[in-house]
């Protein structure tokens, strides 16, 4: 009886092992003119999921587990797109002298990946017409004709291949559609940029870019570009129907909560929005409570909760975090030095386009309030000191010009500054009036300062 029991247990264990082995992915093959002694497989977020060693003969063999989806096969300075799925057993051959042109696949998963290899070659042939600087110059009708023709070329290539697994068939057809949808959605902006015609608008007959796009298909969330296209879609929908709001970020999160039908997609969009939005909202507690009512993902909720706890320390009326930095003249300046004055702080970088566009408006504010009880402080961050020194001189920047290349600078971390520009307004006691003050270019900024220090 005991013997029979262990015999059955052994069979179950062997069956389990067999099933576990089938769920792995096996990659093997040969690389002609091999140069490196290893390569790696990376996911869409560039995270390495497997490393393979390459022998002196160019042979390699690796077994690993990964979920179904798109990855990159990286060797030396080259890479190619691959589709992997548990149970795939792929044999790959390639020549480093003709990397893309030489890639061939055999075995389980060959159909999907031979198609991707051919698609990469088609990408190269269509590189010119797929470049926004080319199609952005086209007027509406030729652009639409080109976009439709290019899309059909990719679909025809897809249809020329057979024996795809059902998962890949759905993903790839949607991937092609996403690429076309992005192009249609971006055309107005790109044409205006390339032709320098900011007033350009598409005609009333321009097709709806999202007409064939399923905004509720959560199976596509792992696909590169899908969540970005969803963000574009809902941002446009919000902008087209939104009313003026004193708090865009809270208003937009409310919009997502009421508008997005698919709960999984709603949660992902809410998280993407909250990563930045919670740092900029004027209604921190209300924003956080709304987000937590939407979110169920433990890891995502914890990330937003950590930000929330930090942001609670920089709300209106609380003492501002301090800084002590060297100015453009080599003099040490601290926030305590400015006590008794209102302080308007600009956190910026020389490489930041929006930051540079604010410079003339900031100069105008400094001129308008030069005799008033207010200090204008600019702190250059995430930058190189020589670039900062050069721009301060060339642009004749005024006010107190400070710089830090310390990634752990307490002032920057305390204000949870992850992007620039950022503006902060403090009272005469060094307390926070607004940790996300309006920009110099916004009319409300001047009126706010006039209420504090008076008009000239």
């Amino acid at each position: 009886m005991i013997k029979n029991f262990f015999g059955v247990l052994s069979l179950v264990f062997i069956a389990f092992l067999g099933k576990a082995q089938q769920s792995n992915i096996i990659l093997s093959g040969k690389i002609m003119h091999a140069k490196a002694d290893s390569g790696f497989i990376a996911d869409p977020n560039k995270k390495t999921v497997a490393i393979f060693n390459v022998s002196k003969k160019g042979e390699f063999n690796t077994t690993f587990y990964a979920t179904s989806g798109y990855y990159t096969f990286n060797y030396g300075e080259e890479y190619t797109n691959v589709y992997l799925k548990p149970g795939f057993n792929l044999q790959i051959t390639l020549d480093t002298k003709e990397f893309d042109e030489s890639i061939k696949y055999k075995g389980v998963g060959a159909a999907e990946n031979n198609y991707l290899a051919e698609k990469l070659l088609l990408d190269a042939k269509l590189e010119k017409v797929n470049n926004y600087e080319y199609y952005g110059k086209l007027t509406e009708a030729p652009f639409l004709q080109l976009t439709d023709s290019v899309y059909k070329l990719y679909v025809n290539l897809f249809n020329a291949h057979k024996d795809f697994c059902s998962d890949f068939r759905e993903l790839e057809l949607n991937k092609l559609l996403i690429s076309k949808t992005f192009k249609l959605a971006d055309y107005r902006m790109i044409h205006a940029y390339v032709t320098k015609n900011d007033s350009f608008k598409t005609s009333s007959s321009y097709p709806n870019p999202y007409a064939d796009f399923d905004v509720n298909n959560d199976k596509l969330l792992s696909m590169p570009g899908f969540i970005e296209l969803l963000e574009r879609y809902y941002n446009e929908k919000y902008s087209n129907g939104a009313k003026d709001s004193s708090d865009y970020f809270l208003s937009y999160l409310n919009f997502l909560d009421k508008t997005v039908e698919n709960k999984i997609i709603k949660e992902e969009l809410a998280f993407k929005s909250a990563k930045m939005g919670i740092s900029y909202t004027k209604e921190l507690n209300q924003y956080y409570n709304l987000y937590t009512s939407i979110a169920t993902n433990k890891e995502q909720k914890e990330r937003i909760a950590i930000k929330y706890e930090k942001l609670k320390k920089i709300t209106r009326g609380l003492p501002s975090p301090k800084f002590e930095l060297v100015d453009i003249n080599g003099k040490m300046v601290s926030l305590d030095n400015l006590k008794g004055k209102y302080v308007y702080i600009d956190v910026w970088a020389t490489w930041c386009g929006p930051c540079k566009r604010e410079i003339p408006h900031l100069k105008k504010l400094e001129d308008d309030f030069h005799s008033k009880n207010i200090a204008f402080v600019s702190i250059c961050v995430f930058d190189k000191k020589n670039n900062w020194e050069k721009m301060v001189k060339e642009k004749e920047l005024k006010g107190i010009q400070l710089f830090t290349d310390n990634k752990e600078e307490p002032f920057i971390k305390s204000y949870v500054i992850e992007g620039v520009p950022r503006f902060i307004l403090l009272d005469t006691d060094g307390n926070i009036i607004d940790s996300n003050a309006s920009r110099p270019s916004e009319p409300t900024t001047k009126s706010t300062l006039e209420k504090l220090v008076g008009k000239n």
Side-chain angles (χ1 to χ4, degrees):
M1 186 73 177
I2 293 176
K3 183 177 181 182
N4 288 339
F5 171 76
F6 281 110
V8 171
L9 188 63
S10 297
L11 288 173
V12 171
F13 183 67
I14 290 169
F16 172 77
L17 274 180
K19 190 173 182 179
Q21 288 171 349
Q22 288 175 6
S23 69
N24 281 332
I25 297 166
I26 301 173
L27 294 183
S28 61
K30 186 167 185 177
I31 300 174
M32 274 68 80
H33 301 101
K35 298 177 181 178
D37 59 6
S38 66
F40 64 95
I41 310 297
D43 68 12
N45 296 317
K46 299 183 179 180
K47 181 181 178 182
T48 299
V49 297
I51 297 173
F52 57 88
N53 295 318
V54 180
S55 71
K56 291 181 179 179
K57 293 181 179 181
E59 296 172 345
F60 65 93
N61 192 318
T62 184
T63 301
F64 61 96
Y65 176 80
T67 56
S68 300
Y70 295 96
Y71 295 83
T72 56
F73 177 94
N74 301 265
Y75 181 71
E77 296 180 354
E78 300 272 12
Y79 74 91
T80 190
N81 299 319
V82 292
Y83 176 78
L84 300 176
K85 182 180 179 180
F88 272 18
N89 187 340
L90 280 169
Q91 296 89 53
I92 308 171
T93 58
L94 65 89
D95 190 330
T96 59
K97 290 186 176 181
E98 295 181 306
F99 196 93
D100 293 337
E101 295 80 2
S102 67
I103 297 173
K104 293 289 184 293
Y105 300 89
K106 289 183 180 180
V108 181
E112 292 82 359
N113 287 289
N114 279 321
Y115 155 76
L116 288 178
E118 287 188 40
K119 182 185 174 187
L120 198 62
L121 297 180
L122 181 59
D123 287 341
K125 289 180 181 179
L126 298 175
E127 184 177 4
K128 178 183 176 182
V129 296
N130 276 332
N131 188 308
Y132 76 91
E133 290 184 344
Y134 175 83
Y135 66 74
K137 294 176 183 177
L138 300 178
T139 54
E140 186 174 303
F143 164 76
L144 291 173
Q145 184 178 9
L146 174 66
T147 301
D148 189 54
S149 297
V150 168
Y151 177 66
K152 286 179 179 177
L153 283 173
Y154 282 106
V155 171
N156 288 341
L157 175 63
F158 178 86
N159 290 333
H161 287 260
K162 308 295 181 184
D163 302 322
F164 293 145
C165 65
S166 58
D167 291 350
F168 178 77
R169 180 170 293 278
E170 181 182 3
L171 282 173
E172 185 61 23
L173 283 174
N174 276 287
K175 190 175 184 182
L176 296 177
L177 181 60
I178 286 172
S179 179
K180 178 186 177 183
T181 303
F182 256 124
K183 195 175 289 185
L184 289 171
D186 286 346
Y187 172 65
R188 187 204 65 76
M189 177 184 66
I190 288 175
H191 184 77
Y193 173 76
V194 172
T195 61
K196 294 180 172 57
N197 177 12
D198 293 336
S199 62
F200 172 75
K201 293 183 179 180
T202 53
S203 71
S204 58
S205 61
Y206 190 80
N208 174 8
Y210 308 100
D212 301 317
F213 180 58
D214 184 0
V215 297
N216 291 306
N217 190 349
D218 56 66
K219 292 180 182 178
L220 304 178
L221 278 171
S222 62
M223 178 182 293
F226 179 70
I227 193 69
E228 289 78 12
L229 190 54
L230 284 173
E231 288 181 295
R232 183 77 53 83
Y233 170 76
Y234 283 108
N235 267 307
E236 286 185 18
K237 197 168 183 178
Y238 173 81
S239 299
N240 291 335
K243 296 178 181 179
D244 290 340
S245 171
S246 59
D247 192 328
Y248 161 82
F249 301 96
L250 178 59
S251 175
Y252 182 65
L253 189 62
N254 263 309
F255 167 79
L256 290 177
D257 186 34
K258 294 175 182 177
T259 308
V260 183
E261 297 176 11
N262 184 293
K263 290 183 178 179
I264 298 173
I265 288 176
K266 180 193 293 187
E267 182 171 358
E268 197 63 33
L269 286 170
F271 174 65
K272 293 273 285 185
S273 180
K275 285 195 293 184
M276 178 180 72
I278 197 167
S279 296
Y280 288 90
T281 180
K282 303 292 185 185
E283 302 292 341
L284 178 63
N285 291 331
Q286 192 177 344
Y287 188 99
Y288 180 69
N289 290 336
L290 176 57
Y291 172 74
T292 54
S293 73
I294 297 170
T296 61
N297 183 293
K298 184 179 178 181
E299 181 183 346
Q300 291 180 352
K301 287 181 75 171
E302 286 178 353
R303 286 179 62 181
I304 300 303
I306 289 170
K307 270 195 172 183
Y308 171 68
E309 292 300 324
K310 291 179 180 178
L311 292 165
K312 283 200 300 184
K313 299 174 182 177
I314 53 168
T315 54
R316 184 181 180 91
L318 293 178
S320 171
K322 303 293 181 66
F323 62 75
E324 190 172 13
L325 300 168
V326 176
D327 72 3
I328 193 67
N329 299 311
K331 178 185 175 183
M332 186 68 72
V333 177
S334 73
L335 186 57
D336 288 336
N337 297 151
L338 305 174
K339 201 162 186 179
K341 291 186 175 185
Y342 290 95
V343 183
Y344 184 76
I345 302 170
D346 169 20
V347 184
W348 69 294
T350 64
W351 45 262
C352 167
C355 299
K356 289 186 281 189
R357 286 195 289 273
E358 292 297 325
I359 289 175
H361 303 283
L362 181 58
K363 282 185 172 182
K364 181 69 168 55
L365 280 181
E366 290 168 340
D367 286 340
D368 290 342
F369 294 94
H370 75 279
S371 62
K372 297 295 181 178
N373 188 37
I374 183 169
F376 291 90
V377 178
S378 294
I379 305 176
C380 184
V381 297
F382 316 136
D383 214 328
K384 294 181 179 178
K385 190 174 183 180
N386 61 322
N387 291 342
W388 166 66
E389 291 172 334
K390 182 180 179 183
M391 186 165 288
V392 170
K393 183 178 180 180
E394 288 181 351
K395 298 285 186 181
E396 298 180 338
L397 301 186
K398 302 179 181 180
I400 299 170
Q401 295 294 328
L402 307 176
F403 174 84
T404 178
D405 57 3
N406 179 11
K407 294 180 180 179
E408 301 299 316
E409 167 59 41
F411 182 83
I412 302 303
K413 291 200 74 175
S414 296
Y415 272 103
V416 200
I417 296 175
E418 297 171 341
V420 289
R422 175 78 171 270
F423 299 91
I424 299 164
L425 182 60
L426 309 178
D427 67 17
T428 54
D429 292 320
N431 296 323
I432 298 168
I433 295 176
D434 195 340
S435 61
N436 278 298
S438 54
R439 299 184 179 192
S441 58
E442 297 176 62
T444 53
T445 305
K446 185 175 181 179
S447 61
T448 297
L449 297 185
E450 285 176 341
K451 290 176 183 177
L452 294 174
V453 301
K455 297 181 181 180
N456 280 332

